[in-house]
Amino acid sequence: EDKVVQSPLSLVVHEGDTVTLNCSYEVTNFRSLLWYKQEKKAPTFLFMLTSSGIEKKSGRLSSILDKKELFSILNITATQTGDSAVYLCAVPNPNYGGSQGNLIFGKGTKLSVKP
Amino acid sequence: DTGVSQDPRHKITKRGQNVTFRCDPISEHNRLYWYRQTLGQGPEFLTYFQNEAQLEKSRLLSDRFSAERPKGSFSTLEIQRTEQGDSAMYLCASSRTQNSYEQYFGPGTRLTVT
């Protein structure tokens, strides 16, 4: 069964800390891995990773993919209270006729950043 | 605002009633997706459209659920004979065909079935 597993499920840190969120996946015909940030409502797109070992970076957030070990990490440095959110990892589902777009999401990591 | 919009934002209904939700995607996006999310879970795929064509539907989706996108723009999701287990956040997302994994989500419709 294709699946995405995120860890930890929740994390509490203080402002200024650095955090690492983990996402492991088991999916046939892997194409890409995506990270989303979900605050109160809509998930917002952060990164898409397709190549192993190439870091994607946006400000204090960065992510890298390891296709051999089937996982990705999302790093957030110098955390701020505004980083508090659920961080979701997803991979495209290969099981629906091979067409694109149907995403399998993990349960998410709930990050709480305390002042 | 040129993002994805959904209406209503909240819906409370009694068990057995029918409900309909609307999603307006980003105008230049020709793919539209519906997901369902319950507390502590990631979004779960329901169905998606390429323009007006419904290309995929989750094998777990009950026959009580139906979705349309008649003109390839907005979409509606109808749930007939609602059950308490249908209570969830219903999320709509849209994307371009060539970047279909980069999906932009709406704020969701929270459905509560009493």
Side-chain angles (χ1 to χ4, degrees):
Chain A
E1 181 187 341
D2 299 307
K3 61 182 180 181
V4 176
V5 178
Q6 293 186 244
S7 64
L9 291 182
S10 66
L11 189 56
V12 180
V13 300
H14 287 94
E15 273 192 314
D17 288 349
T18 293
V19 298
T20 298
L21 310 182
N22 303 291
C23 175
S24 64
Y25 60 91
E26 291 179 28
V27 60
T28 54
N29 194 21
F30 175 82
R31 296 190 181 99
S32 61
L33 184 143
L34 300 101
W35 284 97
Y36 283 84
K37 176 182 181 182
Q38 185 171 26
E39 295 177 83
K40 294 210 180 294
K41 292 185 176 60
T44 53
F45 174 81
L46 294 174
F47 298 114
M48 183 170 75
L49 301 152
T50 54
S51 300
S52 214
I54 297 177
E55 186 182 49
K56 289 272 182 110
K57 202 168 169 64
S58 175
R60 295 176 295 100
L61 276 66
S62 63
S63 184
I64 197 159
L65 176 68
D66 186 329
K67 289 167 78 171
K68 183 179 176 186
E69 300 297 330
L70 308 183
F71 78 91
S72 173
I73 59 172
L74 176 68
N75 280 319
I76 308 174
T77 58
T79 51
Q80 302 171 357
T81 54
D83 295 326
S84 296
V86 173
Y87 291 84
L88 295 163
C89 172
V91 295
N93 188 337
N95 294 324
Y96 284 79
S99 57
Q100 300 174 6
N102 171 357
L103 297 176
I104 302 172
F105 282 87
K107 292 184 177 183
T109 294
K110 182 176 181 181
L111 174 65
S112 299
V113 181
K114 295 192 175 300
Chain B
D1 188 309
T2 57
V4 178
S5 62
Q6 293 187 244
D7 184 70
R9 298 289 296 275
H10 302 274
K11 178 71 178 179
I12 300 174
T13 192
K14 292 186 178 179
R15 190 174 51 191
Q17 298 294 304
N18 298 345
V19 294
T20 300
F21 310 141
R22 177 181 169 122
C23 170
D24 287 89
I26 293 171
S27 58
E28 59 266 31
H29 287 181
N30 45 17
R31 290 201 170 184
L32 184 148
Y33 312 83
W34 285 100
Y35 292 85
R36 175 173 60 191
Q37 187 175 26
T38 53
L39 197 62
Q41 303 294 319
E44 174 193 25
F45 170 78
L46 295 179
T47 188
Y48 101 89
F49 294 83
Q50 168 84 23
N51 300 313
E52 66 275 9
Q54 187 174 19
L55 295 188
E56 287 182 3
K57 191 173 175 181
S58 170
R59 297 179 186 120
L60 303 176
L61 200 60
S62 160
D63 289 343
R64 298 181 296 104
F65 287 70
S66 62
E68 293 183 340
R69 195 182 182 197
K71 297 182 180 178
S73 56
F74 74 91
S75 174
T76 57
L77 177 69
E78 181 183 18
I79 310 173
Q80 296 183 325
R81 304 180 304 281
T82 52
E83 302 172 357
Q84 286 189 319
D86 297 331
S87 296
M89 176 74 85
Y90 289 84
L91 294 165
C92 176
S94 68
S95 75
R96 299 176 191 275
T97 303
Q98 53 270 44
N99 292 316
S100 59
Y101 304 144
E102 189 173 330
Q103 297 178 15
Y104 293 82
F105 284 80
T109 295
R110 176 155 313 273
L111 172 66
T112 303
V113 181
T114 61

PDB file of all heavy atoms in Angstrom, chain A residues 58-86:
ATOM      1  N   SER A  58      13.938  28.389   0.797  1.00  0.00           N
ATOM      2  CA  SER A  58      13.129  29.591   0.729  1.00  0.00           C
ATOM      3  C   SER A  58      13.217  30.268   2.082  1.00  0.00           C
ATOM      4  O   SER A  58      12.571  29.843   3.047  1.00  0.00           O
ATOM      5  CB  SER A  58      11.680  29.240   0.393  1.00  0.00           C
ATOM      6  OG  SER A  58      10.860  30.395   0.431  1.00  0.00           O
ATOM      7  N   GLY A  59      14.056  31.283   2.148  1.00  0.00           N
ATOM      8  CA  GLY A  59      14.235  31.985   3.421  1.00  0.00           C
ATOM      9  C   GLY A  59      14.815  31.057   4.469  1.00  0.00           C
ATOM     10  O   GLY A  59      15.863  30.438   4.259  1.00  0.00           O
ATOM     11  N   ARG A  60      14.100  30.918   5.579  1.00  0.00           N
ATOM     12  CA  ARG A  60      14.587  30.079   6.688  1.00  0.00           C
ATOM     13  C   ARG A  60      14.191  28.613   6.508  1.00  0.00           C
ATOM     14  O   ARG A  60      14.542  27.777   7.337  1.00  0.00           O
ATOM     15  CB  ARG A  60      14.029  30.624   8.000  1.00  0.00           C
ATOM     16  CG  ARG A  60      14.540  32.024   8.351  1.00  0.00           C
ATOM     17  CD  ARG A  60      13.895  32.575   9.616  1.00  0.00           C
ATOM     18  NE  ARG A  60      12.461  32.782   9.448  1.00  0.00           N
ATOM     19  CZ  ARG A  60      11.521  31.963   9.877  1.00  0.00           C
ATOM     20  NH1 ARG A  60      11.841  30.863  10.565  1.00  0.00           N
ATOM     21  NH2 ARG A  60      10.248  32.229   9.681  1.00  0.00           N
ATOM     22  N   LEU A  61      13.431  28.315   5.478  1.00  0.00           N
ATOM     23  CA  LEU A  61      12.993  26.941   5.234  1.00  0.00           C
ATOM     24  C   LEU A  61      13.850  26.302   4.150  1.00  0.00           C
ATOM     25  O   LEU A  61      14.195  26.951   3.162  1.00  0.00           O
ATOM     26  CB  LEU A  61      11.529  26.914   4.782  1.00  0.00           C
ATOM     27  CG  LEU A  61      10.437  26.946   5.846  1.00  0.00           C
ATOM     28  CD1 LEU A  61      10.419  28.267   6.599  1.00  0.00           C
ATOM     29  CD2 LEU A  61       9.093  26.651   5.241  1.00  0.00           C
ATOM     30  N   SER A  62      14.165  25.056   4.350  1.00  0.00           N
ATOM     31  CA  SER A  62      14.878  24.313   3.316  1.00  0.00           C
ATOM     32  C   SER A  62      14.436  22.863   3.382  1.00  0.00           C
ATOM     33  O   SER A  62      13.990  22.374   4.431  1.00  0.00           O
ATOM     34  CB  SER A  62      16.395  24.424   3.494  1.00  0.00           C
ATOM     35  OG  SER A  62      16.782  23.843   4.730  1.00  0.00           O
ATOM     36  N   SER A  63      14.583  22.168   2.258  1.00  0.00           N
ATOM     37  CA  SER A  63      14.155  20.781   2.200  1.00  0.00           C
ATOM     38  C   SER A  63      15.056  20.009   1.255  1.00  0.00           C
ATOM     39  O   SER A  63      15.597  20.572   0.298  1.00  0.00           O
ATOM     40  CB  SER A  63      12.707  20.696   1.724  1.00  0.00           C
ATOM     41  OG  SER A  63      12.259  19.356   1.749  1.00  0.00           O
ATOM     42  N   ILE A  64      15.208  18.732   1.553  1.00  0.00           N
ATOM     43  CA  ILE A  64      16.041  17.882   0.719  1.00  0.00           C
ATOM     44  C   ILE A  64      15.407  16.510   0.634  1.00  0.00           C
ATOM     45  O   ILE A  64      14.670  16.084   1.531  1.00  0.00           O
ATOM     46  CB  ILE A  64      17.475  17.831   1.283  1.00  0.00           C
ATOM     47  CG1 ILE A  64      18.459  17.309   0.240  1.00  0.00           C
ATOM     48  CG2 ILE A  64      17.548  17.010   2.566  1.00  0.00           C
ATOM     49  CD1 ILE A  64      19.900  17.690   0.534  1.00  0.00           C
ATOM     50  N   LEU A  65      15.681  15.831  -0.462  1.00  0.00           N
ATOM     51  CA  LEU A  65      15.082  14.527  -0.739  1.00  0.00           C
ATOM     52  C   LEU A  65      16.192  13.474  -0.847  1.00  0.00           C
ATOM     53  O   LEU A  65      17.234  13.745  -1.441  1.00  0.00           O
ATOM     54  CB  LEU A  65      14.308  14.607  -2.056  1.00  0.00           C
ATOM     55  CG  LEU A  65      13.667  13.349  -2.616  1.00  0.00           C
ATOM     56  CD1 LEU A  65      12.521  12.884  -1.741  1.00  0.00           C
ATOM     57  CD2 LEU A  65      13.175  13.594  -4.044  1.00  0.00           C
ATOM     58  N   ASP A  66      15.936  12.325  -0.291  1.00  0.00           N
ATOM     59  CA  ASP A  66      16.845  11.180  -0.447  1.00  0.00           C
ATOM     60  C   ASP A  66      16.044  10.040  -1.077  1.00  0.00           C
ATOM     61  O   ASP A  66      15.301   9.342  -0.392  1.00  0.00           O
ATOM     62  CB  ASP A  66      17.411  10.769   0.917  1.00  0.00           C
ATOM     63  CG  ASP A  66      18.463   9.681   0.819  1.00  0.00           C
ATOM     64  OD1 ASP A  66      18.373   8.834  -0.109  1.00  0.00           O
ATOM     65  OD2 ASP A  66      19.370   9.657   1.654  1.00  0.00           O
ATOM     66  N   LYS A  67      16.192   9.860  -2.378  1.00  0.00           N
ATOM     67  CA  LYS A  67      15.389   8.864  -3.097  1.00  0.00           C
ATOM     68  C   LYS A  67      15.859   7.440  -2.826  1.00  0.00           C
ATOM     69  O   LYS A  67      15.105   6.494  -2.980  1.00  0.00           O
ATOM     70  CB  LYS A  67      15.410   9.167  -4.593  1.00  0.00           C
ATOM     71  CG  LYS A  67      14.604  10.401  -4.949  1.00  0.00           C
ATOM     72  CD  LYS A  67      14.873  10.872  -6.358  1.00  0.00           C
ATOM     73  CE  LYS A  67      14.157  10.058  -7.387  1.00  0.00           C
ATOM     74  NZ  LYS A  67      14.263  10.668  -8.729  1.00  0.00           N
ATOM     75  N   LYS A  68      17.083   7.311  -2.389  1.00  0.00           N
ATOM     76  CA  LYS A  68      17.578   5.969  -2.091  1.00  0.00           C
ATOM     77  C   LYS A  68      16.966   5.464  -0.787  1.00  0.00           C
ATOM     78  O   LYS A  68      16.549   4.314  -0.678  1.00  0.00           O
ATOM     79  CB  LYS A  68      19.106   6.010  -1.975  1.00  0.00           C
ATOM     80  CG  LYS A  68      19.733   4.650  -1.733  1.00  0.00           C
ATOM     81  CD  LYS A  68      21.240   4.753  -1.659  1.00  0.00           C
ATOM     82  CE  LYS A  68      21.850   3.400  -1.316  1.00  0.00           C
ATOM     83  NZ  LYS A  68      23.315   3.492  -1.104  1.00  0.00           N
ATOM     84  N   GLU A  69      16.933   6.352   0.211  1.00  0.00           N
ATOM     85  CA  GLU A  69      16.393   5.974   1.518  1.00  0.00           C
ATOM     86  C   GLU A  69      14.907   6.303   1.654  1.00  0.00           C
ATOM     87  O   GLU A  69      14.314   6.050   2.685  1.00  0.00           O
ATOM     88  CB  GLU A  69      17.183   6.678   2.637  1.00  0.00           C
ATOM     89  CG  GLU A  69      18.654   6.331   2.655  1.00  0.00           C
ATOM     90  CD  GLU A  69      18.903   4.845   2.923  1.00  0.00           C
ATOM     91  OE1 GLU A  69      18.085   4.209   3.626  1.00  0.00           O
ATOM     92  OE2 GLU A  69      19.912   4.317   2.407  1.00  0.00           O
ATOM     93  N   LEU A  70      14.323   6.881   0.636  1.00  0.00           N
ATOM     94  CA  LEU A  70      12.879   7.162   0.572  1.00  0.00           C
ATOM     95  C   LEU A  70      12.414   8.095   1.689  1.00  0.00           C
ATOM     96  O   LEU A  70      11.460   7.807   2.424  1.00  0.00           O
ATOM     97  CB  LEU A  70      12.073   5.853   0.610  1.00  0.00           C
ATOM     98  CG  LEU A  70      12.460   4.773  -0.393  1.00  0.00           C
ATOM     99  CD1 LEU A  70      11.519   3.580  -0.271  1.00  0.00           C
ATOM    100  CD2 LEU A  70      12.462   5.295  -1.823  1.00  0.00           C
ATOM    101  N   PHE A  71      13.115   9.217   1.823  1.00  0.00           N
ATOM    102  CA  PHE A  71      12.628  10.182   2.808  1.00  0.00           C
ATOM    103  C   PHE A  71      13.028  11.598   2.397  1.00  0.00           C
ATOM    104  O   PHE A  71      13.891  11.812   1.537  1.00  0.00           O
ATOM    105  CB  PHE A  71      13.141   9.858   4.216  1.00  0.00           C
ATOM    106  CG  PHE A  71      14.564  10.262   4.474  1.00  0.00           C
ATOM    107  CD1 PHE A  71      14.874  11.514   4.996  1.00  0.00           C
ATOM    108  CD2 PHE A  71      15.602   9.384   4.213  1.00  0.00           C
ATOM    109  CE1 PHE A  71      16.192  11.879   5.226  1.00  0.00           C
ATOM    110  CE2 PHE A  71      16.921   9.740   4.446  1.00  0.00           C
ATOM    111  CZ  PHE A  71      17.215  10.993   4.948  1.00  0.00           C
ATOM    112  N   SER A  72      12.375  12.532   3.071  1.00  0.00           N
ATOM    113  CA  SER A  72      12.693  13.935   2.894  1.00  0.00           C
ATOM    114  C   SER A  72      12.677  14.596   4.263  1.00  0.00           C
ATOM    115  O   SER A  72      11.991  14.138   5.183  1.00  0.00           O
ATOM    116  CB  SER A  72      11.654  14.606   1.986  1.00  0.00           C
ATOM    117  OG  SER A  72      11.858  16.008   1.924  1.00  0.00           O
ATOM    118  N   ILE A  73      13.440  15.668   4.393  1.00  0.00           N
ATOM    119  CA  ILE A  73      13.382  16.464   5.621  1.00  0.00           C
ATOM    120  C   ILE A  73      13.088  17.916   5.270  1.00  0.00           C
ATOM    121  O   ILE A  73      13.444  18.398   4.184  1.00  0.00           O
ATOM    122  CB  ILE A  73      14.675  16.373   6.451  1.00  0.00           C
ATOM    123  CG1 ILE A  73      15.889  16.842   5.655  1.00  0.00           C
ATOM    124  CG2 ILE A  73      14.882  14.968   6.984  1.00  0.00           C
ATOM    125  CD1 ILE A  73      17.149  16.953   6.486  1.00  0.00           C
ATOM    126  N   LEU A  74      12.403  18.552   6.179  1.00  0.00           N
ATOM    127  CA  LEU A  74      12.132  19.978   6.076  1.00  0.00           C
ATOM    128  C   LEU A  74      12.778  20.634   7.291  1.00  0.00           C
ATOM    129  O   LEU A  74      12.475  20.272   8.428  1.00  0.00           O
ATOM    130  CB  LEU A  74      10.625  20.245   6.079  1.00  0.00           C
ATOM    131  CG  LEU A  74      10.190  21.716   6.072  1.00  0.00           C
ATOM    132  CD1 LEU A  74      10.546  22.380   4.749  1.00  0.00           C
ATOM    133  CD2 LEU A  74       8.680  21.823   6.312  1.00  0.00           C
ATOM    134  N   ASN A  75      13.685  21.561   7.037  1.00  0.00           N
ATOM    135  CA  ASN A  75      14.360  22.285   8.114  1.00  0.00           C
ATOM    136  C   ASN A  75      13.826  23.700   8.207  1.00  0.00           C
ATOM    137  O   ASN A  75      13.603  24.359   7.180  1.00  0.00           O
ATOM    138  CB  ASN A  75      15.862  22.378   7.837  1.00  0.00           C
ATOM    139  CG  ASN A  75      16.588  21.101   8.198  1.00  0.00           C
ATOM    140  OD1 ASN A  75      16.302  20.483   9.219  1.00  0.00           O
ATOM    141  ND2 ASN A  75      17.518  20.682   7.363  1.00  0.00           N
ATOM    142  N   ILE A  76      13.647  24.146   9.431  1.00  0.00           N
ATOM    143  CA  ILE A  76      13.287  25.543   9.666  1.00  0.00           C
ATOM    144  C   ILE A  76      14.282  26.089  10.680  1.00  0.00           C
ATOM    145  O   ILE A  76      14.394  25.576  11.798  1.00  0.00           O
ATOM    146  CB  ILE A  76      11.862  25.706  10.223  1.00  0.00           C
ATOM    147  CG1 ILE A  76      10.855  24.953   9.350  1.00  0.00           C
ATOM    148  CG2 ILE A  76      11.496  27.191  10.299  1.00  0.00           C
ATOM    149  CD1 ILE A  76       9.444  24.950   9.901  1.00  0.00           C
ATOM    150  N   THR A  77      15.036  27.095  10.282  1.00  0.00           N
ATOM    151  CA  THR A  77      16.018  27.682  11.183  1.00  0.00           C
ATOM    152  C   THR A  77      15.441  28.948  11.821  1.00  0.00           C
ATOM    153  O   THR A  77      14.519  29.568  11.272  1.00  0.00           O
ATOM    154  CB  THR A  77      17.310  28.051  10.438  1.00  0.00           C
ATOM    155  OG1 THR A  77      16.979  28.963   9.377  1.00  0.00           O
ATOM    156  CG2 THR A  77      17.963  26.819   9.835  1.00  0.00           C
ATOM    157  N   ALA A  78      15.985  29.305  12.998  1.00  0.00           N
ATOM    158  CA  ALA A  78      15.571  30.541  13.693  1.00  0.00           C
ATOM    159  C   ALA A  78      14.055  30.668  13.701  1.00  0.00           C
ATOM    160  O   ALA A  78      13.494  31.656  13.231  1.00  0.00           O
ATOM    161  CB  ALA A  78      16.227  31.748  13.029  1.00  0.00           C
ATOM    162  N   THR A  79      13.390  29.653  14.245  1.00  0.00           N
ATOM    163  CA  THR A  79      11.925  29.612  14.190  1.00  0.00           C
ATOM    164  C   THR A  79      11.299  30.856  14.830  1.00  0.00           C
ATOM    165  O   THR A  79      11.848  31.461  15.758  1.00  0.00           O
ATOM    166  CB  THR A  79      11.393  28.373  14.904  1.00  0.00           C
ATOM    167  OG1 THR A  79      11.968  28.280  16.214  1.00  0.00           O
ATOM    168  CG2 THR A  79      11.692  27.113  14.115  1.00  0.00           C
ATOM    169  N   GLN A  80      10.127  31.198  14.289  1.00  0.00           N
ATOM    170  CA  GLN A  80       9.346  32.329  14.787  1.00  0.00           C
ATOM    171  C   GLN A  80       7.949  31.821  15.116  1.00  0.00           C
ATOM    172  O   GLN A  80       7.526  30.769  14.618  1.00  0.00           O
ATOM    173  CB  GLN A  80       9.267  33.419  13.717  1.00  0.00           C
ATOM    174  CG  GLN A  80      10.622  33.927  13.274  1.00  0.00           C
ATOM    175  CD  GLN A  80      10.541  34.847  12.068  1.00  0.00           C
ATOM    176  OE1 GLN A  80       9.470  35.079  11.504  1.00  0.00           O
ATOM    177  NE2 GLN A  80      11.681  35.384  11.669  1.00  0.00           N
ATOM    178  N   THR A  81       7.206  32.580  15.912  1.00  0.00           N
ATOM    179  CA  THR A  81       5.853  32.132  16.275  1.00  0.00           C
ATOM    180  C   THR A  81       4.982  31.966  15.041  1.00  0.00           C
ATOM    181  O   THR A  81       4.095  31.112  15.005  1.00  0.00           O
ATOM    182  CB  THR A  81       5.191  33.115  17.259  1.00  0.00           C
ATOM    183  OG1 THR A  81       5.221  34.430  16.700  1.00  0.00           O
ATOM    184  CG2 THR A  81       5.930  33.119  18.597  1.00  0.00           C
ATOM    185  N   GLY A  82       5.251  32.736  14.011  1.00  0.00           N
ATOM    186  CA  GLY A  82       4.495  32.613  12.767  1.00  0.00           C
ATOM    187  C   GLY A  82       4.747  31.321  12.016  1.00  0.00           C
ATOM    188  O   GLY A  82       4.034  31.012  11.055  1.00  0.00           O
ATOM    189  N   ASP A  83       5.738  30.568  12.431  1.00  0.00           N
ATOM    190  CA  ASP A  83       5.985  29.262  11.808  1.00  0.00           C
ATOM    191  C   ASP A  83       5.059  28.195  12.381  1.00  0.00           C
ATOM    192  O   ASP A  83       5.009  27.067  11.870  1.00  0.00           O
ATOM    193  CB  ASP A  83       7.438  28.827  12.022  1.00  0.00           C
ATOM    194  CG  ASP A  83       8.444  29.743  11.334  1.00  0.00           C
ATOM    195  OD1 ASP A  83       8.120  30.259  10.249  1.00  0.00           O
ATOM    196  OD2 ASP A  83       9.542  29.940  11.895  1.00  0.00           O
ATOM    197  N   SER A  84       4.344  28.515  13.437  1.00  0.00           N
ATOM    198  CA  SER A  84       3.423  27.547  14.036  1.00  0.00           C
ATOM    199  C   SER A  84       2.364  27.146  13.025  1.00  0.00           C
ATOM    200  O   SER A  84       1.657  28.002  12.474  1.00  0.00           O
ATOM    201  CB  SER A  84       2.746  28.143  15.283  1.00  0.00           C
ATOM    202  OG  SER A  84       3.707  28.416  16.282  1.00  0.00           O
ATOM    203  N   ALA A  85       2.283  25.871  12.762  1.00  0.00           N
ATOM    204  CA  ALA A  85       1.377  25.365  11.720  1.00  0.00           C
ATOM    205  C   ALA A  85       1.496  23.845  11.695  1.00  0.00           C
ATOM    206  O   ALA A  85       2.329  23.258  12.387  1.00  0.00           O
ATOM    207  CB  ALA A  85       1.751  25.924  10.351  1.00  0.00           C
ATOM    208  N   VAL A  86       0.674  23.243  10.857  1.00  0.00           N
ATOM    209  CA  VAL A  86       0.851  21.824  10.534  1.00  0.00           C
ATOM    210  C   VAL A  86       1.593  21.762   9.201  1.00  0.00           C
ATOM    211  O   VAL A  86       1.201  22.420   8.235  1.00  0.00           O
ATOM    212  CB  VAL A  86      -0.507  21.101  10.425  1.00  0.00           C
ATOM    213  CG1 VAL A  86      -0.303  19.672   9.927  1.00  0.00           C
ATOM    214  CG2 VAL A  86      -1.222  21.115  11.770  1.00  0.00           C
TER     215      VAL A  86
END
